[in-house]
Amino acid sequence: MTTTTFYLDTWKRFIKQGVLDPARLNKRIIESWYRCRKDEVNPYLNKGLRVLTSDLLSLQKDKHSLLMETALPHLSRMNQAIIESGMMALLVDPDGYVLSLTGNEQTLKDARNINFIEGVCWTENEVGTNAIGTALKTAESVIINGAEHYSVASHQWSCTATPILNEKGNLMGVIDVSCPVERSHPFMIGMVTSIAYAIERDISRVYRRNEIDLVQHAVELVDTYRHRPFVVCDHGHRIISVSKAVREKHPHANGMELRDFIKKGYQIDRETPILSKEDNRILGISVFLSEVVSYNQHSLFAAATPSQSFLFKGVRGTSEVFQNTLKQVELVASTDATVFITGETGTGKELIARAIHDNSLRKNGPFISLNCGAIPKDLMSSELFGYVEGAFTGAKRQGNKGKFELAHKGTIFLDEIGEIPEAMQVALLRLLQERKVVPIGGSKEIPLDIRIITATHRDMNELINEGTFRQDLYYRLNVYPVEVPALRRRKEDIPYLVRYFCQNHNWNLPDTNRFLYKLSNYEWPGNVRELLNVLERLHIMFSSGLANQDTLIDYFEVIQEQSKSTEQVPIDGQERKLKAREKIQRDLILDALQKTKGNVTAAAKLLDIPRSTFYKRIQKFGL
């Protein structure tokens, strides 16, 4: 039995039975295989699925310009040897996207067959065990040959990768050398290690030079702007110097992350790159701030009650955690700060956004609400930015105003902001900076006077780490965070909510201590929305007026058991329990169904997975 056949048989047994003899494989590969199995990576995947558009790839290259400028000269010097060896060399960023790919022409051609191209994402989560993805995961040098790869896409390849680390040990990227498995050679590990080491030394020198230059610039800048809130940050948005106006209030601001510092009552007015006077290298960022709330006046996190003049069209209740949320809303409403609302599905994030608008100086202007997760990606641009007459086939004769233009002099609320596609994130970032919009098909810029409020139930740090949401856009949106607590954290408000819903809808349900006790001691994974749905369901069951306390409680207990025993992952209220891989799978399924107009066979073919697996995932995600 050849080595290749041996590993292939081992792979087949693991994929079909989940059985693996630990003595037969390298420890790192074993660990990776188990990770892939746990994350439900498709072992029969025959190509990479996630590839950046040219615009997004260009942005990704700009984001990692230091890595590219330092690494590419080293790869260029090795290029002839790589070509003659029938190999190719790749530079990969920390998110797993291939930024550069050079080498033997035939090898590059073969690689294109599996989408192993610039812009492809080659992480473990995407394509299973592979040298690039596993090096990113472990921060160690990795060699993976043939059927040691988890997905069949790479079974004909031999790959060697080494991580590139900066002085602080942070991952900056990966150098990979790959070739058809029959051309594999032991010197590949030495080659990538030596290249990575040389790149690390150059990056270290650039860092030291940049740090010295940045400090010199910072001294001049903070003196120039000493009387206003102003900070200087490095590439990682870590504060290295502050103006006198900031230092007097926050003497320990140096060294803080910008996103943590602005929670002390500031919002970002403008960010400007600091350039080297010699060669226009970006050294850091100057950040102009304005105060939202004086930090010394009132702690935003102290227990407090909103004033009687504060308008809130929901149930205030009495819970301390929700009173704190309302107080934060009252404080920020009087400003024009951009607000970022977080909370699980069904907690009432739009109600909070509406309260901010109703208590602001913009209360007489429009309040435009949009659920970004409910709009098809190909319609989002026209929905947000509008279009002019003749912009595309089917466009209205007089064109159409977008949501941003409709919100002029008022507030726009973008719910589920974590769902917007990457191309739209770039456009939104530009709009936030310039406060102007250009409709599709038009050329005239329309100035905007709007307040932007966004909301999500997703873990934004997770989306940023996955590379699906831009970090710079998150900083722009997360000026003033407001968290809406889950209903299980404010159980003392449940009786107030029950009475409010019953009175508003004229539902005749008994208002008894025993019934309210049962409702108050349920965990409510679907939050306030689930509570409303359950009350409506009970009202329908007992619309004859023959309900009594005991039967009502019996029916509610049946509903509780049904909720606990369901095997589906509910869309309403429990998306927070979905793993990152499951969220991606669900989004891919929805996207494929949309593109194929609901044709399951075509959608499964589009994602390159068996139809039976596609049906199982539809059921799993409750679609």
Side-chain angles (χ1 to χ4, degrees):
M1 179 184 291
T2 66
T3 303
T4 302
T5 306
F6 164 76
Y7 284 127
L8 186 58
D9 290 342
T10 304
W11 176 84
K12 286 179 179 177
R13 190 173 181 215
F14 181 76
I15 297 304
K16 292 179 179 179
Q17 303 173 24
V19 177
L20 187 62
D21 180 358
R24 296 190 168 207
L25 280 176
N26 176 283
K27 180 185 175 185
R28 287 287 176 259
I29 294 174
I30 292 172
E31 292 170 347
S32 177
W33 278 18
Y34 277 116
R35 283 195 298 269
C36 295
R37 188 177 184 86
K38 181 181 177 183
D39 291 341
E40 297 185 10
V41 178
N42 181 8
Y44 301 105
L45 192 74
N46 60 13
K47 62 182 177 181
L49 295 179
R50 192 200 292 186
V51 183
L52 296 176
T53 63
S54 58
D55 288 344
L56 291 174
L57 176 58
S58 178
L59 286 168
Q60 199 74 3
K61 288 181 177 181
D62 289 344
K63 179 180 174 182
H64 300 287
S65 58
L66 174 60
L67 174 66
M68 293 196 69
E69 290 167 7
T70 312
L72 291 183
H74 291 281
L75 291 174
S76 179
R77 284 193 287 272
M78 299 294 297
N79 195 41
Q80 191 58 40
I82 289 169
I83 291 173
E84 291 173 358
S85 303
M87 300 177 178
M88 59 183 182
L90 298 90
L91 178 65
V92 184
D93 71 20
D95 302 319
Y97 290 106
V98 177
L99 302 178
S100 169
L101 191 152
T102 57
N104 182 276
E105 188 56 41
Q106 182 58 48
T107 302
L108 294 172
K109 182 179 178 182
D110 293 340
R112 285 193 285 271
N113 293 331
I114 60 170
N115 266 355
F116 204 24
I117 56 177
E118 281 195 7
V120 71
C121 184
W122 215 258
T123 59
E124 277 192 356
N125 283 346
E126 285 294 322
V127 295
T129 305
N130 71 89
I132 292 170
T134 307
L136 286 170
K137 180 72 74 172
T138 62
E140 297 176 0
S141 297
V142 178
I143 306 172
I144 298 182
N145 292 304
E148 291 177 336
H149 291 90
Y150 188 78
S151 294
V152 296
S154 303
H155 275 194
Q156 305 304 315
W157 292 86
S158 175
C159 306
T160 303
T162 295
I164 301 168
L165 308 175
N166 63 20
E167 284 184 316
K168 297 177 182 178
N170 297 324
L171 187 66
M172 295 201 65
V174 161
I175 290 290
D176 174 90
V177 172
S178 297
C179 64
V181 71
E182 63 272 12
R183 286 183 170 271
S184 178
H185 195 283
F187 76 76
M188 289 166 66
I189 185 66
M191 180 187 294
V192 295
T193 302
S194 63
I195 296 173
Y197 179 64
I199 294 169
E200 287 176 351
R201 282 187 306 173
D202 283 357
I203 288 175
S204 178
R205 281 196 289 267
V206 171
Y207 266 140
R208 283 196 290 272
R209 186 179 65 177
N210 284 355
E211 284 177 355
I212 294 169
D213 288 352
L214 181 57
V215 169
Q216 291 173 344
H217 280 71
V219 170
E220 297 174 11
L221 288 167
V222 297
D223 183 58
T224 302
Y225 301 107
R226 59 184 176 276
H227 297 306
R228 64 165 296 177
F230 174 83
V231 301
V232 174
C233 299
D234 62 15
H235 279 283
H237 279 81
R238 181 177 60 87
I239 297 174
I240 67 156
S241 189
V242 301
S243 65
K244 182 180 179 182
V246 172
R247 187 168 58 252
E248 288 177 345
K249 290 187 176 182
H250 309 289
H252 304 296
N254 280 355
M256 289 186 67
E257 297 289 330
L258 180 61
R259 62 182 174 185
D260 294 329
F261 179 73
I262 60 176
K263 294 176 183 178
K264 294 182 178 292
Y266 292 96
Q267 70 176 15
I268 298 172
D269 285 346
R270 188 171 84 253
E271 292 183 35
T272 306
I274 300 172
L275 304 177
S276 165
K277 295 175 181 176
E278 297 176 0
D279 51 13
N280 282 333
R281 284 175 289 115
I282 297 178
L283 303 173
I285 307 159
S286 60
V287 184
F288 295 86
L289 304 168
S290 59
E291 292 188 69
V292 175
V293 180
S294 176
Y295 184 64
N296 295 322
Q297 286 178 0
H298 194 290
S299 170
L300 301 182
F301 305 102
T305 306
S307 64
Q308 290 302 312
S309 61
F310 174 69
L311 179 62
F312 180 63
K313 296 177 181 177
V315 177
R316 296 194 187 197
T318 59
S319 67
E320 182 177 324
V321 65
F322 193 61
Q323 298 309 306
N324 283 341
T325 296
L326 292 180
K327 186 59 182 175
Q328 288 188 52
V329 170
E330 184 180 24
L331 288 169
V332 76
S334 61
T335 75
D336 219 18
T338 302
V339 180
F340 192 81
I341 304 172
T342 57
E344 296 174 12
T345 303
T347 51
K349 294 188 287 295
E350 183 168 353
L351 200 61
I352 293 295
R354 185 83 211 202
I356 294 171
H357 174 76
D358 289 342
N359 292 275
S360 73
L361 296 175
R362 297 176 178 271
K363 60 187 176 183
N364 295 322
F367 177 82
I368 304 296
S369 176
L370 185 71
N371 187 328
C372 299
I375 302 174
K377 293 178 181 179
D378 53 348
L379 297 180
M380 190 167 288
S381 292
S382 59
E383 192 73 22
L384 286 175
F385 304 133
Y387 54 85
V388 298
E389 182 178 350
F392 50 83
T393 303
K396 293 180 181 179
R397 177 166 293 184
Q398 302 302 321
N400 193 56
K401 287 186 177 181
K403 299 296 185 186
F404 282 112
E405 191 175 352
L406 291 172
H408 185 59
K409 296 294 184 181
T411 304
I412 186 167
F413 172 57
L414 301 177
D415 199 4
E416 302 302 349
I417 191 67
E419 308 299 329
I420 66 171
E422 293 176 85
M424 186 57 59
Q425 293 175 33
V426 178
L428 181 55
L429 184 62
R430 186 175 299 116
L431 183 144
L432 283 164
Q433 291 170 336
E434 300 175 0
R435 298 287 165 159
K436 295 175 183 176
V437 66
V438 179
I440 296 173
S443 57
K444 182 182 178 182
E445 291 184 332
I446 300 172
L448 296 175
D449 176 11
I450 56 174
R451 180 183 199 159
I452 297 175
I453 303 175
T454 54
T456 185
H457 71 278
R458 304 285 294 272
D459 183 337
M460 295 305 294
N461 287 323
E462 190 175 274
L463 295 182
I464 290 168
N465 291 335
E466 290 171 1
T468 57
F469 201 90
R470 292 177 62 94
Q471 189 175 49
D472 49 359
L473 176 58
Y474 176 60
Y475 286 141
R476 285 280 185 180
L477 298 175
N478 192 29
V479 174
Y480 191 97
V482 173
E483 181 189 4
V484 186
L487 187 55
R488 59 185 170 278
R489 292 176 55 201
R490 46 179 296 218
K491 289 186 175 182
E492 52 266 62
D493 295 339
I494 289 176
Y496 296 92
L497 288 163
V498 172
R499 289 164 186 152
Y500 174 81
F501 290 141
C502 288
Q503 288 172 5
N504 272 20
H505 295 87
N506 199 25
W507 293 338
N508 186 23
L509 293 174
D511 186 357
T512 66
N513 289 336
R514 188 179 165 202
F515 178 54
L516 292 175
Y517 176 81
K518 279 286 184 182
L519 295 177
S520 299
N521 282 276
Y522 176 50
E523 287 300 304
W524 297 108
N527 293 296
V528 178
R529 187 180 299 150
E530 185 189 8
L531 172 63
L532 176 62
N533 292 345
V534 166
L535 291 174
E536 183 174 12
R537 184 173 171 186
L538 292 173
H539 163 69
I540 293 169
M541 288 178 179
F542 293 93
S543 56
S544 62
L546 298 176
N548 60 54
Q549 183 180 165
D550 292 332
T551 53
L552 191 70
I553 291 172
D554 287 343
Y555 269 98
F556 177 64
E557 288 177 347
V558 169
I559 292 171
Q560 279 183 278
E561 291 305 313
Q562 288 175 343
S563 177
K564 290 177 183 177
S565 63
T566 180
E567 292 182 356
Q568 292 183 346
V569 180
I571 290 178
D572 183 9
Q574 282 192 345
E575 285 188 340
R576 60 192 166 82
K577 294 185 178 179
L578 289 175
K579 298 174 185 174
R581 182 68 192 174
E582 290 173 329
K583 291 174 184 175
I584 294 171
Q585 287 178 345
R586 185 201 60 192
D587 292 345
L588 286 172
I589 286 172
L590 286 170
D591 188 52
L593 285 170
Q594 181 186 325
K595 287 178 179 176
T596 59
K597 296 183 173 23
N599 187 317
V600 172
T601 302
K605 187 175 181 181
L606 185 64
L607 293 182
D608 200 26
I609 60 176
R611 190 171 61 173
S612 59
T613 302
F614 195 92
Y615 271 116
K616 287 177 183 176
R617 289 181 182 172
I618 286 177
Q619 293 174 342
K620 177 180 179 180
F621 299 128
L623 303 179

